[in-house]
């Protein structure tokens, strides 16, 4: 939520059409009142574009210019569509359809298929990758797991660009795509994939768009029916439209121009899926009389963050760069971006976790902190580092909140309790207020006042239920007279809109998955050449898209921003890496990439002192192989090498850890993670020097727990005087 859109968690519906416009800045107001098409909104990151277009729709509906059922708003993710529905509901325009392109097309296809083709619409294929694997096998082409994923991506790209199998090699060459296999082989697999689908009578998501386009092109009567239903269109993230989606939009519109598009060419980061900013950049050529509004007031980020973002784009090249927007921060000053260099990736993860912990101790909620990386494979070392630091986290891109089994089960229980009015449930008999009723119901399914130890499925389940408890507390604060039935109705509305409550925990996400989100503090990690830009970005346009991806990452931060890189991948490795070229001329001490580009970012500060001493190359103590996996490095052996675990010691360590966690009132992993306990039980250290060498121990934990652990390793029982640390000194915030 941008600063311009801060409001209570459950705001009141505006009392009139004019009230819908309250709080909009002049440019947002111009968007909201431009109810005749065509309209093109060029909206920079953090400028309140969703606010502008939802208020435009709501103002049109509330003033009687637009009929809710005649408006179709489309975007690219279920989350974004859900957020739009939620905002429209809060503005009193709940009857408007807000959907993804695929969702809108599927709905129309299901309705018109019996009339256009006959019978029922073929079912959607459950697992596309599985069918592609079978197609490759039939073609006698062996694909490993990564190749299988990449070939599937190529087939999807071919379909959204309306490229048939026999034309794929030429189309891939013309677009400069880096094909994962010989293009002729991919064309064969693509052709066989289509054949398998026909044999099984199934369709995929790309077929949904293709078939809808075909029906609307071939059946003018059906096209006219759709056009009578939907007369006004709004397209969010228009820079991400593919040629196929653009064709569908044109068929929906017909010869009308009641269209409002919103986008930012500088945030085009999905070209690998067929997205292109050309439709946005060419909008005025197709619609010479269009109203064009630029949103550049950035309500999200501090001037320091905005300055770096503008500096990144000032060095960009290409057509999208020619249309870049210069953002102007509307917030007060904040800290300069921090640049941090580390010896290796594990050290970078540990340093990041340490700074995250410091931010949480200073009062920044864990849910307002994100660690963003280029590829998902980078997450593991950060998961381990956060667990070692006792910091809860959540992986972005996991199952949607309201589809989690525990959330669905909780919804059913709360609905049943609301229907019974509490009379048939002895747990609710003496409970009056709604939050206490929710706690009582959820306590039967695993919710407790304190989080469980560990960071796996049990913790994830608890976090989901805890989020529902917090939502109930917020709901009643906003609506003191609310009943449990009112809360259940709110949950149903939120589930429909995919408006999930906040789950406490630091967010780990790829840069692509972070699009459209924001946090108080953002850590951009792994910013070394080869990872940013990614090594397979060869052409100028591919490199420029990587720059835009970094720009998206920078603009996710409201206040705190840290950019870091490691000089080598593994401990003891040759420090041959360089920081990303995109920061040249922006980070302190670096030269501008070429003449004519001034450094646009603040001076910030580059941290070199946070690096630990260079460690020797980590090698398996069983077979001697160099270790690269974070978990293997912690154990100092390959995962599949034989273990010399002292099982008795391991169990004693686990019992001791449980007691420490209980006494400190913290999850068990805040003392030591399971992997660290395993490493201790395998190494059986006899001295502090041997113990501190085990990954996950470190100087701080050595001082707290070292004497106890060494006593256990020696076969003793830690005495009460050894274990009586002052709880305040052991606080993780110190």
């Amino acid at each position: 939520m941008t600063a311009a859109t801060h409001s209570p968690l459950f705001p009141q519906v505006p009392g009139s059409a004019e009230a819908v416009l309250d709080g909009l800045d002049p440019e947002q107001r111009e968007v909201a009142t431009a109810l005749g098409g065509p309209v093109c909104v060029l909206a920079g990151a953090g400028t309140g574009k969703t606010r502008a277009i939802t208020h435009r729709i709501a103002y049109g509906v509330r003033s009687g210019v637009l009929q809710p059922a005649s408006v179709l708003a489309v975007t690219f993710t279920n989350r974004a569509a859900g957020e739009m529905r939620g905002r429209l509901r809060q503005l009193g325009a709940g009857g408007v359809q807000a959907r993804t392109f695929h969702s809108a097309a599927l709905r129309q296809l299901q309705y018109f298929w019996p009339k256009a083709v006959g019978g029922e619409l073929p079912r959607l294929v459950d697992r596309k990758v599985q069918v592609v694997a079978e197609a490759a096998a039939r073609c006698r082409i062996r694909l490993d797991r990564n190749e299988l994923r990449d070939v599937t991506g190529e087939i999807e790209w071919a379909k959204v660009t309306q490229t048939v199998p026999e034309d794929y090699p030429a189309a891939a060459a013309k677009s400069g795509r880096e094909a994962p296999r010989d293009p002729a082989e991919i064309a064969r697999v693509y052709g066989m994939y289509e054949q398998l689908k026909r044999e099984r009578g199934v369709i995929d998501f790309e077929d949904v768009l293709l078939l809808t386009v075909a029906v609307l092109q071939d059946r003018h009567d059906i096209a006219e029916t759709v056009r009578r239903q939907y007369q006004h269109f709004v397209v969010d993230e228009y820079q991400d439209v593919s040629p196929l989606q653009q064709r569908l939009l044109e068929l929906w519109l017909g010869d009308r121009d009641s269209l409002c598009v919103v986008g930012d060419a500088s945030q085009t980061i999905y070209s690998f899926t067929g997205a292109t900013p050309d439709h946005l950049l060419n909008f005025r050529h197709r619609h010479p009389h269009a109203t064009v509004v630029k949103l550049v007031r950035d309500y999200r980020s501090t001037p320091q963050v905005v300055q770096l973002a503008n500096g990144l784009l000032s060095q960009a090249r290409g057509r999208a760069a020619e249309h870049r927007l210069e953002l102007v921060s509307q917030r007060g000053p904040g800290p300069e971006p921090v640049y941090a260099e580390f010896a290796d990736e594990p050290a970078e993860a540990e340093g990041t976790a340490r700074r995250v912990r410091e931010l949480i101790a200073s009062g920044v909620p864990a849910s307002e902190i994100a660690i963003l990386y280029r590829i998902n494979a980078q997450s593991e070392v950060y998961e381990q580092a956060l667990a070692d630091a006792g910091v809860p986290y959540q992986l972005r891109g996991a199952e949607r909140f309201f589809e989690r089994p525990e959330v669905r089960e909780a919804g059913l229980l709360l609905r049943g309790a609301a229907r019974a009015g509490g009379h048939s449930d002895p747990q609710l008999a003496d409970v009056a207020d709604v939050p206490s009723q929710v706690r009582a119901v959820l306590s039967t399914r695993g919710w407790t006042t304190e989080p469980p130890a560990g960071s796996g499925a049990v913790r994830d389940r608890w976090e989901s239920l805890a989020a529902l408890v917090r939502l109930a507390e917020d709901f009643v604060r906003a609506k003191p007279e609310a009943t449990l039935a009112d809360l259940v109705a709110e949950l149903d509305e939120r589930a429909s809109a995919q408006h999930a409550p906040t789950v406490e925990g630091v967010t780990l996400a790829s840069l692509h998955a972070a699009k459209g989100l924001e946090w108080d503090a953002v850590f951009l990690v792994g910013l070394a050449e080869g990872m940013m830009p990614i090594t397979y970005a060869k052409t100028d346009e591919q490199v420029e898209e990587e720059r835009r991806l970094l720009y998206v990452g920078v603009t996710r931060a409201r206040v705190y921003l840290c950019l870091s890189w490691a000089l080598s991948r593994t401990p003891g490795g040759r420090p041959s890496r360089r920081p990303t070229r995109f920061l040249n001329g922006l980070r302190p001490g670096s030269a501008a990439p070429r003449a004519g580009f001034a450094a646009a970012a603040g001076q910030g500060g580059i941290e070199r002192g946070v690096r630990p001493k260079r460690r020797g190359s980590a090698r398996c103590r069983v077979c001697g192989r160099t270790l690269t996996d974070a978990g293997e490095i912690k154990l100092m052996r390959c995962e599949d090498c034989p273990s010399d675990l002292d099982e008795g010691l391991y169990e004693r360590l686990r019992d001791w850890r449980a007691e420490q966690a209980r006494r400190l009132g913290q999850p068990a992993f805040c003392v030591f993670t399971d992997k660290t306990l395993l490493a201790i039980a395998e190494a059986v250290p006899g001295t502090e020097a041997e113990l501190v060498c085990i990954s996950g121990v470190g100087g701080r934990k050595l001082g707290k727990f070292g004497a106890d652990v060494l006593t256990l390793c020696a076969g003793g029982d830690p005495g009460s005087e050894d274990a009586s640390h002052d709880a305040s000194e052991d606080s993780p915030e110190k």
Side-chain angles (χ1 to χ4, degrees), residues 59-80:
Y59 179 69
V61 169
R62 299 291 298 276
S63 62
V65 176
L66 304 178
Q67 294 302 310
S70 71
V71 181
L72 177 59
V74 288
T75 186
F76 285 83
T77 66
N78 287 315
R79 182 195 59 77

Side-chain angles (χ1 to χ4, degrees), residues 416-608:
R419 274 199 302 267
H423 304 300
S424 62
D425 191 336
Q427 283 193 303
L428 304 184
D430 300 320
V431 179
D433 63 289
V434 172
S436 296
Q437 291 176 333
V438 172
R439 294 187 202 103
V441 171
L442 299 189
S443 65
T444 66
R445 289 299 182 267
W447 179 81
T448 56
T449 55
E450 293 297 325
S455 58
V458 173
R459 176 63 182 244
D460 291 343
R461 178 183 176 86
W462 183 89
E463 290 286 3
S464 297
L465 299 179
L468 292 175
V469 171
R470 286 193 298 273
L471 179 66
E473 293 166 348
D474 291 336
F475 184 65
V476 170
R477 270 196 294 271
K479 300 182 177 180
E481 303 304 317
T483 65
L484 186 59
D486 295 329
L487 175 65
V488 169
E490 176 65 27
L491 288 175
D492 288 342
E493 290 278 7
R494 283 173 166 253
S496 174
Q498 286 300 324
H499 182 192
T502 300
V503 176
E504 278 303 321
V506 173
T507 298
L508 292 174
S510 70
L511 286 163
H512 283 100
K515 178 77 165 62
L517 303 174
E518 58 188 82
W519 297 268
D520 284 345
V522 169
F523 292 80
L524 301 176
V525 299
L527 300 183
E529 285 288 317
M531 191 59 75
M532 176 58 66
I534 198 79
T535 185
Y536 52 74
K538 305 290 187 186
T539 67
D540 288 346
E541 180 47 42
Q542 288 169 341
V543 169
E544 286 305 313
E545 181 153 337
E546 293 288 299
R547 187 194 306 276
R548 295 194 293 269
L549 189 57
L550 180 56
Y551 170 80
V552 166
V554 167
T555 54
R556 300 310 94 194
R558 297 191 191 105
V559 181
Y560 305 98
L561 179 63
C562 181
L563 305 95
S564 65
W565 58 91
L567 298 177
S568 71
R569 181 184 177 197
T570 57
R574 189 163 63 90
S576 57
R577 288 178 170 178
R578 293 179 293 114
T580 174
R581 71 191 77 169
F582 300 143
L583 296 179
N584 289 346
L586 302 176
R587 62 183 175 85
S590 65
R594 57 186 183 275
F597 288 111
Q603 288 305 297
I606 187 161
E607 296 189 355
R608 299 183 188 274

